[in-house]
Amino acid sequence: MSKQKKKITDIRSINLMALFAALTAIGAFIRIPLPYVPITLQTIFVLLAGVLLGKRRAALSQLIYLVIGLSGVPIFTEGGGPGYIFKPSFGYLLAFVVAAYFTGLLTENRPINYRNIFLASTTGVLITYIIGVPYLYLILTKVSGVELGFLDTLKAGMIPFLPGDLLKILIVTIITPRVYTPLKKYL
Amino acid sequence: MLRNITIGQYMARDSIIHNLDPRIKIVITIMMITALFFIDTFSGYGLFFLSVLVIIYLSRIPLIRIIRGLKPVLFLVLLTLILHIFFTRGGEVIWQWGFISIEAEGLYTGLFMVTRIILLIMFTSLLTLTTSPLELTNGIEYLLSPLKRVGVPASELAMMMTIALRFIPTLLEEADKIMKAQMARGADFESGNLVKRARNLIPLLVPLFISAFRRADDLALAMESRCYHGGEGRTRLHELKVRAGDFIALALALLLCVAFIYF
């Protein structure tokens, strides 16, 4: 297949994007117990979408995940529905779209090796915080009307997740080179 | 552990609300939610609550289901209420004990915000309880179709949503099976340090990925053999039709929205 700007809605891409939307959805339900904050596999699938599908298809797949959840199918960690926009944690979900895009951007047309994957997934995870934490702050202060310092938000919305996210970055880094070769023919 | 997740909380019933056109229902929901944010009096909320109750009655959905839908936001509701009661200042002091005091303004704002959150969740869960996921994606496709002109692939988006919905239970089952199979072979998902845990997930993720990709590829092939070529010229078994009842519902909703804001 040519690498130029091809249509992203050919049959194969449609199915791959649907697949990653579904994977992100089930990722919310596979929990790995970790001390204090159990982690879910969601971020792993978001990052892998970026690496495997490329920036545009990856972002679209996560967008589909969001739209399905917002239209009421309970595939977010705590349900679904348009009301979810006003949940403080929705920013992290919104960030999936952008994180997948940038992870894809940083790995497209580059060799698949530990270093590149590690850098791209770290960027992806950082983006979830860059969007997620201000959103958390915004909803808590503006919608719930709570008086809260930005530093406290950072303490609640970022620090507890760091070990888990480091683990996820490691998983993605270890796993991508292994799945890339057998899967290449499907991409 | 993975199986007890029901996808879609849709409750099939034969009611006026269920039979409304999904497009109209989506539009009404968006209108009502927007209106909810403009309401600034408790009497407005009262009217909103009343109309929600009427819709619940008409839809023949047991009230307990709607109330159960509130459980996920319970924490947010309590947090909002408590923080407001103790930290928002102003108005007369209602209750004081040492340095802790509850003031009128805090109680009022707290209750106000909480009412808004509860009504918001009640109304949105009504949409999904009375509309099946398939109807919803259909409705979304129609509503997005004007955007086709600017290059948004509306029907492909709807197709992807439908496929993703179909994939979710299959993938869950698959993940569950692989986890059990690997645990039977001595895989351990729950101990060790960070790097070790990361490594332990490989026997779950690699097979999951390979089989999922194969499945997606099979489906692509099947669609191709059946000549799927996007939304252009597609015909449907169930065409969406807007009937008189839908217009009446829309008009009523518009009236209500105006009433909420001026109440």
Side-chain angles (χ1 to χ4, degrees):
Chain A
M1 247 180 272
S2 62
K3 269 271 174 191
Q4 334 131 356
K5 218 177 176 185
K6 63 170 193 253
K7 235 182 117 188
I8 58 165
T9 51
D10 59 299
I11 295 186
R12 199 160 265 191
S13 300
I14 284 180
N15 281 291
L16 285 177
M17 286 186 267
L19 176 68
F20 267 92
L23 280 172
T24 310
I26 70 157
F29 302 115
I30 308 180
R31 291 207 171 86
I32 310 287
L34 204 67
Y36 310 118
V37 191
I39 62 163
T40 70
L41 293 188
Q42 274 193 306
T43 321
I44 295 182
F45 293 127
V46 175
L47 299 174
L48 277 166
V51 178
L52 295 171
L53 298 187
K55 54 179 195 253
R56 294 199 306 155
R57 290 190 294 175
L60 194 52
S61 74
Q62 297 311 308
L63 193 67
I64 287 164
Y65 168 69
L66 278 189
V67 175
I68 295 177
L70 285 179
S71 66
V73 186
I75 53 172
F76 298 150
T77 336
E78 289 170 63
Y84 218 87
I85 294 182
F86 302 105
K87 270 185 77 79
S89 61
F90 183 71
Y92 296 102
L93 296 178
L94 206 60
F96 283 171
V97 181
V98 188
Y101 184 88
F102 278 96
T103 314
L105 183 75
L106 287 175
T107 46
E108 259 176 355
N109 306 321
R110 282 185 204 191
I112 301 288
N113 57 27
Y114 288 137
R115 193 180 139 264
N116 284 345
I117 305 291
F118 183 80
L119 287 178
S121 16
T122 310
T123 315
V125 167
L126 282 181
I127 287 169
T128 54
Y129 290 125
I130 291 172
I131 297 175
V133 175
Y135 196 93
L136 189 76
Y137 179 73
L138 214 69
I139 292 288
L140 283 179
T141 52
K142 292 283 161 346
V143 177
S144 298
V146 175
E147 301 278 337
L148 192 73
F150 191 75
L151 218 64
D152 292 323
T153 324
L154 216 57
K155 235 184 260 169
M158 183 165 166
I159 314 285
F161 304 110
L162 282 176
D165 277 328
L166 184 63
L167 180 69
K168 291 179 213 176
I169 294 173
L170 284 177
I171 294 172
V172 173
T173 311
I174 297 174
I175 221 169
T176 312
R178 285 174 204 233
V179 292
Y180 189 74
T181 328
L183 294 183
K184 210 162 42 184
K185 63 173 181 225
Y186 298 127
L187 306 172
Chain B
M1 101 201 196
L2 295 176
R3 292 243 183 101
N4 47 20
I5 302 150
T6 41
I7 291 298
Q9 18 163 214
Y10 173 61
M11 279 185 97
R13 290 277 191 285
D14 184 25
S15 78
I16 314 174
I17 307 293
H18 281 73
N19 293 334
L20 282 178
D21 187 289
R23 288 169 289 181
I24 301 289
K25 277 194 271 192
I26 295 172
V27 171
I28 289 178
T29 308
I30 294 170
M31 271 167 41
M32 295 286 271
I33 290 173
T34 319
L36 186 60
F37 277 84
F38 286 103
I39 297 178
D40 48 14
T41 58
F42 271 110
S43 53
Y45 280 155
L47 188 64
F48 195 98
F49 183 63
L50 212 65
S51 40
V52 170
L53 282 185
V54 171
I55 298 173
I56 295 174
Y57 175 74
L58 287 176
S59 69
R60 297 210 213 148
I61 282 176
L63 192 61
I64 190 80
R65 277 298 295 258
I66 310 267
I67 292 170
R68 225 186 290 156
L70 290 173
K71 226 169 60 185
V73 287
L74 197 63
F75 176 74
L76 182 68
V77 165
L78 288 178
L79 183 80
T80 308
L81 191 62
I82 289 169
L83 285 173
H84 272 298
I85 285 182
F86 290 109
F87 295 109
T88 306
R89 298 273 147 246
E92 57 180 297
V93 178
I94 296 173
W95 181 81
Q96 190 152 25
W97 184 76
F99 58 92
I100 303 169
S101 66
I102 296 177
E103 292 174 17
E105 191 74 20
L107 191 65
Y108 181 80
T109 324
L111 285 175
F112 195 78
M113 293 293 174
V114 163
T115 317
R116 176 185 288 176
I117 299 172
I118 291 175
L119 288 177
L120 189 74
I121 303 299
M122 281 180 99
F123 199 83
T124 51
S125 60
L126 260 178
L127 173 69
T128 46
L129 279 166
T130 62
T131 321
S132 74
L134 202 66
E135 279 182 303
L136 268 180
T137 44
N138 258 345
I140 292 172
E141 177 179 350
Y142 273 105
L143 288 175
L144 286 181
S145 56
L147 294 178
K148 273 181 191 162
R149 298 226 178 120
V150 290
V152 177
S155 44
E156 279 82 1
L157 282 177
M159 179 52 96
M160 284 188 258
M161 286 172 62
T162 316
I163 298 175
L165 277 174
R166 179 63 195 78
F167 269 146
I168 291 168
T170 320
L171 287 176
L172 267 177
E173 211 183 301
E174 193 96 14
D176 196 36
K177 250 190 227 161
I178 296 172
M179 263 176 130
K180 284 197 179 119
Q182 301 290 24
M183 267 144 86
R185 296 181 179 113
D188 179 9
F189 297 113
E190 306 192 352
S191 61
N193 60 22
L194 273 187
V195 182
K196 200 150 175 247
R197 273 176 212 239
R199 278 186 178 281
N200 289 347
L201 274 174
I202 294 174
L204 166 65
L205 288 176
V206 173
L208 182 64
F209 260 89
I210 308 273
S211 82
F213 269 72
R214 205 172 287 150
R215 215 177 272 280
D217 197 57
D218 284 349
L219 187 56
L221 217 61
M223 283 165 73
E224 200 149 34
S225 354
R226 286 162 177 78
C227 299
Y228 173 81
H229 56 86
E232 227 166 291
R234 179 185 166 189
T235 56
R236 298 167 175 280
L237 182 57
H238 301 289
E239 292 282 349
L240 289 182
K241 262 195 215 105
V242 181
R243 284 175 299 240
D246 296 313
F247 282 117
I248 295 171
L250 193 62
L252 277 176
L254 258 174
L255 264 174
L256 272 176
C257 287
V258 175
F260 293 147
I261 294 166
Y262 287 100
F263 216 85

